Amino acid sequence: NYLLLWAGMIGVMAGMQMQMLARSYLVYDITGSASLLGIVSAGSAVPMLVFSMFGGAFADRLDKRRIIQIAQAVFALLALAVGLMIFFDRISWVYLMIAAVVQGTAFSFMMPARQAIIPSLVSRDQLTNGLALSSAGMSAMTLAAPAFAGFLYAYAGPDFVYFVISGLGFMAVIITSFLPRTDAGHSRRR
């Protein structure tokens, strides 16, 4: 079960890191404004800062798997919508800002649930290893995914990058659908 969580996390974190790079380039390509690039980039950070404490409370009270899946689905659908707007030449920095805020909000609920579900999936003596492997996977995606996104952006275009990001998000939803329920009514696996 931990492998399913980890594989889903790799997919969604790769997509998020790819999107940070693609969104920044796209905002600058559209507007030519470094100020708007900064504003849109902050669009995802502010909700993460504000809503993370609520995300932790939700993770303590609700089915963590469902929270993770909903956040991943939001992430994938928004990436698909942005990709389609780019493809049909209807994109503007305002849409990118809205997507950034919504995705930052979803991320602030997904990450506490993702961390809180780990003790339900691994034994107590493997908990440290599970947390470390999760952090290592996120760090690896922080390193590799932006480089891959830059390559795709340069050679296939921003719409293709967003379609890949959406595919990674949907893949993560499918993978995590095989995780056991973890709400208060279900026993913890040891």
Side-chain angles (χ1 to χ4, degrees), residues 31-54:
T31 67
S33 169
S35 298
L36 285 176
L37 185 148
I39 290 168
V40 172
S41 294
S44 62
V46 172
M48 282 193 266
L49 181 66
V50 173
F51 293 117
S52 288
M53 66 181 124
F54 300 109

Side-chain angles (χ1 to χ4, degrees), residues 23-133:
R23 183 186 304 137
S24 297
Y25 272 116
L26 187 56
V27 168
Y28 195 76
D29 283 348
I30 293 169
T31 67
S33 169
S35 298
L36 285 176
L37 185 148
I39 290 168
V40 172
S41 294
S44 62
V46 172
M48 282 193 266
L49 181 66
V50 173
F51 293 117
S52 288
M53 66 181 124
F54 300 109
F58 272 73
D60 288 342
R61 290 172 178 78
L62 301 173
D63 181 11
K64 294 162 193 61
R65 178 192 63 164
R66 186 67 59 205
I67 294 170
I68 293 166
Q69 286 183 296
I70 290 169
Q72 290 171 338
V74 166
F75 172 79
L77 289 170
L78 283 171
L80 179 61
V82 170
L84 289 171
M85 284 190 275
I86 297 166
F87 183 78
F88 291 112
D89 200 27
R90 299 281 184 232
I91 195 68
S92 106
W93 74 269
V94 175
Y95 297 133
L96 294 170
M97 177 68 170
I98 292 167
V101 169
V102 173
Q103 287 171 336
T105 303
F107 192 78
S108 67
F109 287 87
M110 180 181 63
M111 288 313 292
R114 189 173 292 286
Q115 292 297 323
I117 200 173
I118 293 174
S120 302
L121 302 176
V122 299
S123 63
R124 186 176 195 92
D125 62 321
Q126 294 295 314
L127 182 59
T128 305
N129 290 340
L131 293 170
L133 188 57

